[in-house]
């Protein structure tokens, strides 16, 4: 079988290796059909994510078809279309440190392999209406978006403010609308904001023209602020996220694109009784909940561009450039 290895920073090689032995108790073999890229994959490829050991099979998120099942397996069958959760030990509930840091494509073999052997507990059956690339886009982004909405108890009448138009933000937009919420989204691109409106955004803010986008969010909520601000950016936006959230609201921080170190004025946080919640994706159970909502509401994940395996450097370059809307996917065309 074939696989792609990262043998050092920005250094990929394709190898042919023996197929895995027959699946053991509780295990299945999955023929991988597609993968999707997240910022963590870029950090791994550049060698700046902590604790890396080369060589490694990269890319956390992927989807494929079950082609063999081990003894005692009842939760999966040959032919099932499945998404592989990247947190291979985090099945449900609150994570331990070990469960949170154990991750496919980082310190466990990732998605860029023709056939993978996985524990059935880490699989989630994909919604039937999704393509392979759409299914591969779910694990990190849909899980993170779902958990953000759940943390703020978002429902009918809630207001959600989203920063940017990457994968987490667009999934949060789609899922928030399914939960009956009002959505405000920011971008520096009018073209992306128009696309966001087409996906369901109620209000849009161009932060290049409105540098005080937090004040815009407050104005759009009649002075109250958003129930949830989903900060996918990091250091550059965190202070304004605190400004945009309502009294007792939630700032859900998941991004470090602009850095992870920030100086915080505690007064807005204290006076407004803001809940600041960090996120490290979520459990298999969380992904299953997000996938169920996507299936029930026939949500179509937004894939901006699909690359072939021979275009892997271009896929990573597109991720680094940050001009995409929604997700970037890789078709595993071995």
């Amino acid at each position: 079988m074939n696989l792609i290895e990262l043998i050092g920073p920005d250094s990929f090689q394709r190898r042919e290796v023996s197929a895995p032995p027959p699946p053991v108790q509780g295990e299945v073999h999955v023929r991988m059909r597609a993968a999707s890229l997240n910022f963590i994959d870029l950090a791994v490829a550049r060698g700046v994510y902590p604790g890396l050991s080369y060589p490694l099979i990269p890319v956390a998120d992927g989807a494929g078809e079950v082609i063999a099942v081990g003894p005692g397996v009842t939760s999966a069958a040959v032919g099932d279309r499945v998404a592989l959760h990247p947190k291979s030990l985090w099945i449900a509930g609150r994570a331990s440190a070990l469960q949170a840091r154990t991750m496919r494509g980082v310190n466990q073999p990732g998605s860029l392999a023709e056939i993978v052997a996985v524990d059935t507990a880490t699989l989630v059956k994909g919604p039937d209406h999704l393509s392979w690339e759409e299914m591969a886009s779910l694990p990190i982004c849909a899980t993170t978006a779902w958990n953000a909405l759940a943390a703020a108890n978002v429902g009918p009448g809630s207001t959600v403010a989203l920063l940017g138009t990457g994968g987490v933000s667009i999934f949060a937009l789609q899922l928030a609308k399914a939960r009956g919420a009002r959505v405000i989204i920011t971008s520096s691109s009018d073209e992306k904001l128009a696309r966001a409106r087409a996906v369901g955004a109620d209000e849009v803010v161009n932060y290049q023209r409105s540098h005080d986008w937090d004040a815009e969010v407050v104005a759009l909520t009649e002075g109250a602020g958003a129930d949830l601000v989903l900060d996918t950016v990091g250091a550059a936006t965190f202070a304004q996220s605190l400004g945009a959230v309502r009294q007792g609201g939630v700032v859900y921080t998941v991004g470090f694109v602009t850095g992870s170190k920030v100086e915080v004025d505690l007064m807005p946080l204290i006076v407004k009784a803001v809940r600041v919640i960090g996120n490290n994706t979520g459990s298999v159970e969380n992904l299953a909940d997000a996938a169920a909502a996507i299936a029930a509401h026939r949500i179509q994940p937004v894939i901006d561009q699909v690359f072939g395996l021979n275009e892997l450097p271009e896929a990573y370059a597109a991720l680094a450039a940050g001009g995409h809307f929604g997700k970037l996917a890789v078709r595993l065309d071995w």
Side-chain angles (χ1 to χ4, degrees):
M1 72 167 203
N2 294 284
L3 56 80
I4 303 291
E5 280 187 327
L6 187 62
I7 58 175
D10 294 316
S11 182
F12 296 91
Q13 73 171 8
R14 182 167 175 161
R15 284 209 303 136
E16 189 169 337
V17 299
S18 299
V24 299
Q25 184 86 20
E27 186 180 72
V28 301
H29 287 179
V30 177
R31 184 178 299 279
M32 301 301 293
R33 300 296 190 185
S36 74
L37 296 180
N38 297 280
F39 188 72
I40 191 172
D41 299 311
L42 183 63
V44 169
R46 289 177 167 175
V48 297
Y49 198 82
L52 297 177
S53 178
Y54 300 111
L56 62 87
I57 302 173
V59 184
D61 281 357
E65 178 184 1
V66 175
I67 59 171
V69 298
V73 171
T74 59
S75 59
V78 171
D80 283 350
R81 302 169 75 247
V82 295
L84 279 62
H85 188 64
K87 304 285 186 176
S88 56
L89 300 180
W90 189 2
I91 309 306
R94 181 183 296 178
S96 67
L98 176 63
Q99 290 170 321
R101 69 173 177 261
T102 302
M103 190 168 185
R104 301 177 69 249
V106 179
N107 44 40
Q108 298 290 308
S111 295
L112 299 191
E114 192 171 1
I115 299 171
V116 299
V118 294
D119 189 316
T120 56
T122 68
L123 302 178
V124 171
K125 291 182 182 178
D128 291 337
H129 70 287
L130 301 189
S131 69
W132 290 120
E133 291 79 18
E134 290 167 340
M135 197 180 302
S137 74
L138 301 184
I140 287 179
C141 287
T143 303
T144 299
W146 180 261
N147 284 345
L149 299 170
N153 295 314
V154 168
S158 299
T159 298
V160 175
L162 306 172
L163 307 192
T165 55
V168 173
S169 292
I170 298 304
F171 268 119
L173 163 58
Q174 295 173 298
L175 290 166
K177 295 307 298 179
R179 294 170 74 120
R182 179 186 184 214
V183 176
I184 304 169
I185 194 164
T186 72
S187 174
S188 62
S189 164
D190 286 337
E191 186 268 335
K192 288 183 179 180
L193 291 174
R195 292 181 70 180
R197 278 199 185 276
V199 176
D202 298 283
E203 306 286 352
V204 299
V205 177
N206 187 314
Y207 63 78
Q208 288 282 46
R209 287 198 299 272
S210 300
H211 297 297
D212 296 331
W213 61 263
D214 51 335
E216 289 276 344
V217 170
V218 171
L220 288 168
T221 54
E222 300 180 346
D227 298 277
L228 167 68
V229 179
L230 178 51
D231 192 329
T232 57
V233 180
T237 54
F238 187 73
Q240 285 181 283
S241 293
L242 291 177
V245 73
R246 71 162 174 82
Q247 183 80 22
V250 172
V251 173
Y252 206 80
T253 179
V254 303
F256 53 96
V257 177
T258 59
S260 58
K261 295 183 179 179
V262 61
E263 184 174 317
V264 178
D265 180 358
L266 291 176
M267 289 309 293
L269 195 153
I270 293 170
V271 171
K272 293 169 69 173
V274 175
R275 286 188 292 149
V276 177
I277 302 176
N279 174 269
N280 192 0
T281 306
S283 67
V284 178
E285 182 179 55
N286 297 146
L287 171 57
D289 289 342
I294 287 166
H297 294 278
R298 304 287 293 181
I299 291 172
Q300 209 76 43
V302 178
I303 308 296
D304 190 49
Q305 195 170 354
V306 178
F307 297 85
L309 270 174
N310 62 343
E311 300 172 305
L312 202 57
E314 291 85 350
Y316 275 86
L319 180 64
H324 54 285
F325 181 93
K327 294 287 292 178
L328 299 174
V330 179
R331 183 183 300 110
L332 300 185
D333 46 0
W334 300 103

